[in-house]
Every structure is written in structure tokens, then in C-alpha cells.
Amino acid sequence: MRPYVLVFLLLGCGEVVPAVDATPDPCTGTCECRVDDDCANPHTFCNDQITSRTCECAAGYALQNGACEWAGVIADPGFQSTTRWTTGGGVAIDVNQNVAGMVDPGAARFVGPAFCTLERVTQAVEMPKLSRAEPLVAVTTYRKLTSGGGFDFVNVAVGVGPSWHDDGPISFGQFATARFCLGAANYAPESTVGKGAVTPIELMPSRATFDCADATAAFEIDHMEIKPADPGECPAPGSAVNGDVEGDGGWSFNVSFGNGPDLSTAMIEPGVGEAGTKGVRLFMNHRCDLVSTTNAISVPDGSTLASPAISIFNRASSGASVNWSIGGVPLPNISGSGQPTTTKFCVPAFMRGGAFPLRANIDQSGACMDTPNFAAVFDNFRLVNEPSCGTDATITDPGFESALTLIGATFNQGRSLSRTLQDPANAHSGNGVLQLSVTQLCEDPRWIANVITPASTAAGGPALHFFYKSTPPANYQLRVIGSGGPAFAGIGDNSYHEGVVCLNPKLVGRNQGVVFSMSGGSGTCATVIPAETAFVDDLQVTSDPMCPGM
């Protein structure tokens, strides 16, 4: 499309008048638009064919009853053909499978090596831009078949473009259905010109079960489709549904009584939120009551929010502990003090561009007859830009420069530590560093890094490099465990060294956890010991010749 060009002419006495470029518009046929926004129907795009410019249905939409309505993007969502999906080694498309609980006949079956080595089924589809579409969800039905005495659960991993989900319901014998809202990265980039952009759809077991090699064990995917979300189901990128809790939607609640009907509640209430506004309030009467809430948040991609962090206002009763997670990743527990606070943490890299559920509940541990009458309040659940979280595409804050709450840390206060420090004297570079310390036997302080797995290269398989230093190992030694090779054991001489662990190349594109821990400490568990400490810094996701590739 050739744009009009304005030329400014300078006349006498300083007068400036614009002159329009006289080059004729090449459009000689139907010329109803110049850009997508000129099209009245939100599910259309401007198809510029030089001599004509017409408003036509965007990818996934078809003209029905005079309007562009959703028609779908996936060919053969029910696996009723052997030609529509590309299968990894050993994956079989069984078009004749038809058992109770299936959405429709046909299934992709992962058996034996295909299950254990985490093969995939894939299909390239054309996705629309979000601005020309509507909120969409990916819906997948699957099951893990029982095996000869085996007992292990698994769910499905679903990739739409660069963003993956593996936090759906688990399956053991029965069909389960995972339903995920699509985020910004799941649609065609907004810079796309035309109908849409080619996007890979990938499906696989979320992990290899311990019995995957058993001849009777199998993972089956029955149906996968992308379709419009229910009203109010999915948040817009950069927001949560009713995150400020001033409306009535977004938050869902569950209350189940562990000691018979009582006074426990979960709801939106006026006057309990930040600055006296509405807030979500969970109230636990008896200790074993399950009182929980769920919402969803859509994380923008890097084009609109470079370094995303999640912020949420909360207040919990003194003595209460609140468990919560986003996208299946556990967040640090909220230890109640009765005082209002705002918790912020860097978004794990794999969540950028995706939409994920928040789940929160008051900890139930203790005697069921106890009546602690604990309350927990949430408000102003939102996304903010936090430069200290970094912009690395594969791992958040690899240099530990952020002072925000650290996700993935586990320790027992007073006996061990897993935390970030602003301590340039102990950092390998910059100011921030991860500290793992032990002062009592039988402790196991650890931190789990969430890492997006890169593709193998000519230089080797996917790996995580890092720098560390630790005290001489009297009782404990730094140990790092990836899923693509043997564990790494650190040298304890109070000097920095470079370490590397291999990542599982079968998880390319997906998140996988790498565990950093202080390992050892056998003996009498109450024994207090001189502090043994490791510092970790400057993580880098890369490839390494020592690591297996694809």
C-alpha cells in the first residue's frame, strides 16, 4: 500500500501551505480500508492487494450470517486423521479409539519410549492478532492409563507459540480436561500484516512417570481445540479479572468444611481492602476447613512490559499462613502479622506472554477441632514493570539484583537460609547474590530456578551455567540438580568457580526447574553447627558440549 505524502510549499511572506502528493492511489477496485482499524467488524483485517483493499475475516474466523464468527484454527482437533498432526518418534494416532469419557473418536497415544522420552504431536496453525480476535481458550482432554500395579499421576503440556502450560488437572485412569486462557504471546504479533501468523501447537505428557516404560502404561490425548472464552473468563494482557476487586467477577471461591458446617467463608467484602475499598476475604473458622480463592492474570510479552512483576495487597491474621501459587509455581507463604502489606515478586520468564491462574488458601495444618478464626485479605492484584527483574528471555533476574520476594526458596527460619542479598563483597558481579546457609543438622535449604529450555545447537545440548563459592564442606556441600544429566557437586574453598548442569533437551521451549541446595547434614537433627554457606550468582541459560542434545 502506497501512503499519501504531504509536501509543504513555502510561499511569499512566510506562508506555508501543504501540497498533496499527486501520485495516484494504486487501488482501483474496492478500496474500503487502509489499515485493520478501518474495518468495522473487530474480527476482520484489511487485505491490501494493491489494486484493492477489502475487509476480510481474520485467521480462525469465517463469514457466517453476514459477520465474521469463530470457526477454529486446528485441523482435526479429535485426532481422526493420521495426516493432520506431525508425531514424534513412537507416537501413534489411533483413529479408531473410542471409549467412555472421550469427547470424540480418535486419540494420540504415547506408549513406552514415546511416553518416557517425552515425544510430541505438533501442528502449525494460523492465529489471528489479539486486536482482531476475542479472548480465546485452549481446551485439551487427556488421560494417563493405569499400568500393572503402577500408581503415578500426570497431566498434559500444551504449547501455543512460545508459551506453555502444564498446570492442568492430573489424570490417573480417567479423562481430564485442561482449559487455559490464551495470553499475548499465543496470538499473532500485533506487527503482523495480513490475516494472521503461523503458530505451532504442541502437545505432550507434562513429564515422564516412573512407570512410563511399563507395557500397559500410556498417555492419551483425545481432543484439543482453541475456542472463544466464556464471558469474563480471561483477563486482558497486563491485568487480572477484577484485580482491583471493585467489581463482582473474576474471583471464584471454595469453602469445604473439615469439621462439619461452621462459620468459614470466602467472598468479596466491602471495607476490607486497601484504603478501605472492597477486597477478597478468606475466613477460616476451624483449622481443617479448606477456604480458597482463584483468579487469573495475563502477563504481557516484552513488547509492552519489559520486566514484569506481580504486585498484590494482602493482610493476614497474626499466626496465619497463606499458601498460594501462580501457574502451578508455589509462591512464598504469607506469614500473617495482622498488618497490611504489598507483596511483589518477579514473574518467572516462562509466564511472560501467557495467562495463568492464581490460587490461594489459608494453611490447614493442625488439629481440626482448633478454631483459630484466621482471615486473609487480597486486593489490587496487578502487573507492574520492575527493571531489577531483568529482560533475559530464558530466566528471570539471573544476577539476583532484585530485592523483591524470591520465588522458589525453601528454608526453616533460625536453622537455615535461602535468600537474595544485596552484598557486593560476596557477589560474583554486581550487587546481588543468592545465599544458601545452614546452622543446624538435618536442614535442606534450597532454591529452584525456573528456566526455559533452549534448543540444542552445534555447540551442544541445553545447559545452565552459574558461578558459586562455598565454605569447606564439614557437613554440607552445594549440590545442583538439573534434569538432563548428573548432579553437580561444588568445591568448597571460599573462592568463585564456574559450574554447569545439563537441562533435558526434550523440554525445549518449556520451563524446567533446576534445584540449588545445601546437601548433607546427617546426624542428630538438633545439633547446632557453625554456619556453612554457599553463594550463587550470574546464571546463564546456554548450550554446552558436555550436555546431550536432540
Side-chain angles (χ1 to χ4, degrees):
M1 181 174 70
R2 189 181 192 281
Y4 288 119
V5 177
L6 292 181
V7 180
F8 291 88
L9 301 178
L10 180 63
L11 303 181
C13 301
E15 182 181 1
V16 179
V17 296
V20 177
D21 184 357
T23 304
D25 187 342
C27 183
T28 57
T30 303
C31 308
E32 60 181 320
C33 58
R34 287 183 174 276
V35 295
D36 291 348
D37 287 343
D38 291 339
C39 298
N41 189 308
H43 304 146
T44 56
F45 74 103
C46 185
N47 187 7
D48 187 349
Q49 297 296 312
I50 308 298
T51 58
S52 67
R53 295 191 296 267
T54 55
C55 292
E56 299 178 12
C57 294
Y61 290 85
L63 193 63
Q64 301 178 41
N65 302 317
C68 292
E69 299 181 2
W70 183 254
V73 294
I74 295 178
D76 187 27
F79 300 96
Q80 295 163 349
S81 167
T82 59
T83 61
R84 296 292 192 171
W85 294 88
T86 300
T87 58
V91 180
I93 304 295
D94 184 351
V95 299
N96 297 313
Q97 171 121 340
N98 189 12
V99 298
M102 294 180 66
V103 175
D104 45 28
R109 303 191 75 242
F110 301 72
V111 183
F115 192 178
C116 291
T117 61
L118 297 175
E119 299 296 335
R120 308 179 182 204
V121 293
T122 64
Q123 182 180 145
V125 305
E126 191 173 21
M127 287 294 293
K129 296 188 292 187
L130 176 59
S131 62
R132 309 313 300 169
E134 60 195 296
L136 299 172
V137 292
V139 184
T140 311
T141 302
Y142 53 93
R143 72 171 174 176
K144 190 263 184 179
L145 286 176
T146 58
S147 60
F151 188 80
D152 200 357
F153 301 96
V154 73
N155 53 13
V156 70
V158 179
V160 181
S163 180
W164 283 79
H165 273 279
D166 59 6
D167 55 332
I170 56 176
S171 168
F172 181 72
Q174 302 298 317
F175 282 99
T177 298
R179 185 180 179 97
F180 305 124
C181 291
L182 299 193
N186 305 132
Y187 296 86
E190 286 301 315
S191 59
T192 299
V193 176
K195 190 174 185 177
V198 175
T199 302
I201 303 293
E202 302 181 85
L203 306 171
M204 62 191 298
S206 62
R207 62 181 179 85
T209 58
F210 72 82
D211 60 345
C212 62
D214 190 291
T216 62
F219 184 76
E220 298 178 340
I221 301 175
D222 162 46
H223 188 94
M224 195 279 181
E225 66 177 317
I226 293 175
K227 64 182 186 179
D230 294 335
E233 179 181 7
C234 296
S239 69
V241 183
N242 191 23
D244 63 4
V245 202
E246 293 309 300
D248 296 322
W251 302 84
S252 59
F253 302 99
N254 180 58
V255 178
S256 59
F257 303 114
N259 193 43
D262 54 26
L263 303 177
S264 295
T265 58
M267 64 184 73
I268 293 174
E269 293 188 18
V272 300
E274 189 172 14
T277 61
K278 287 183 180 179
V280 168
R281 183 173 182 267
L282 308 180
F283 176 71
M284 173 194 281
N285 179 217
H286 279 101
R287 177 79 69 172
C288 290
D289 295 347
L290 174 62
V291 185
S292 65
T293 185
T294 303
N295 200 340
I297 194 162
S298 184
V299 182
D301 58 19
S303 66
T304 56
L305 198 63
S307 304
I310 289 177
S311 172
I312 189 167
F313 171 87
N314 56 83
R315 181 175 57 248
S317 300
S318 180
S321 179
V322 177
N323 304 319
W324 56 336
S325 67
I326 290 183
V329 174
L331 304 179
N333 285 3
I334 297 172
S335 296
S337 65
Q339 298 301 310
T341 185
T342 296
T343 301
K344 291 174 64 177
F345 48 87
C346 297
V347 174
F350 80 91
M351 292 186 185
R352 296 172 187 164
F356 296 89
L358 165 83
R359 297 183 175 92
N361 67 276
I362 300 176
D363 189 282
Q364 301 168 267
S365 56
C368 289
M369 292 301 296
D370 289 349
T371 54
N373 292 323
F374 285 151
V377 170
F378 299 96
D379 194 9
N380 291 330
F381 180 31
R382 58 197 179 95
L383 282 150
V384 297
N385 192 59
E386 176 51 61
S388 67
C389 295
T391 57
D392 190 298
T394 54
I395 184 170
T396 295
D397 190 20
F400 303 99
E401 297 301 314
S402 176
L404 301 186
T405 304
L406 181 65
I407 292 177
T410 304
F411 64 96
N412 288 313
Q413 190 70 44
R415 295 177 289 180
S416 60
L417 285 174
S418 175
R419 63 180 181 177
T420 54
L421 290 177
Q422 296 299 299
D423 184 2
N426 280 306
H428 178 257
S429 69
N431 296 314
V433 66
L434 173 71
Q435 179 192 8
L436 298 170
S437 291
V438 187
T439 55
Q440 187 169 311
L441 295 184
C442 300
E443 289 298 299
D444 182 27
R446 59 179 53 202
W447 173 68
I448 300 177
N450 289 295
V451 176
I452 297 179
T453 312
S456 302
T457 69
L464 179 66
H465 283 223
F466 54 92
F467 288 89
Y468 72 95
K469 69 175 181 179
S470 61
T471 53
N475 299 281
Y476 283 88
Q477 184 178 31
L478 176 67
R479 189 175 178 87
V480 186
I481 303 174
S483 59
F488 173 88
I491 299 170
D493 61 1
N494 288 317
S495 297
Y496 263 106
H497 301 271
E498 186 172 8
V500 59
V501 290
C502 296
L503 305 175
N504 187 344
K506 287 291 189 177
L507 299 181
V508 62
R510 287 181 55 190
N511 179 65
Q512 59 178 295
V514 177
V515 180
F516 291 77
S517 69
M518 293 296 279
S519 179
S522 60
T524 304
C525 291
T527 303
V528 176
I529 59 173
E532 297 186 46
T533 298
F535 294 99
V536 179
D537 203 1
D538 294 339
L539 280 60
Q540 181 186 15
V541 181
T542 182
S543 58
D544 193 279
M546 67 171 278
C547 295
M550 291 285 285

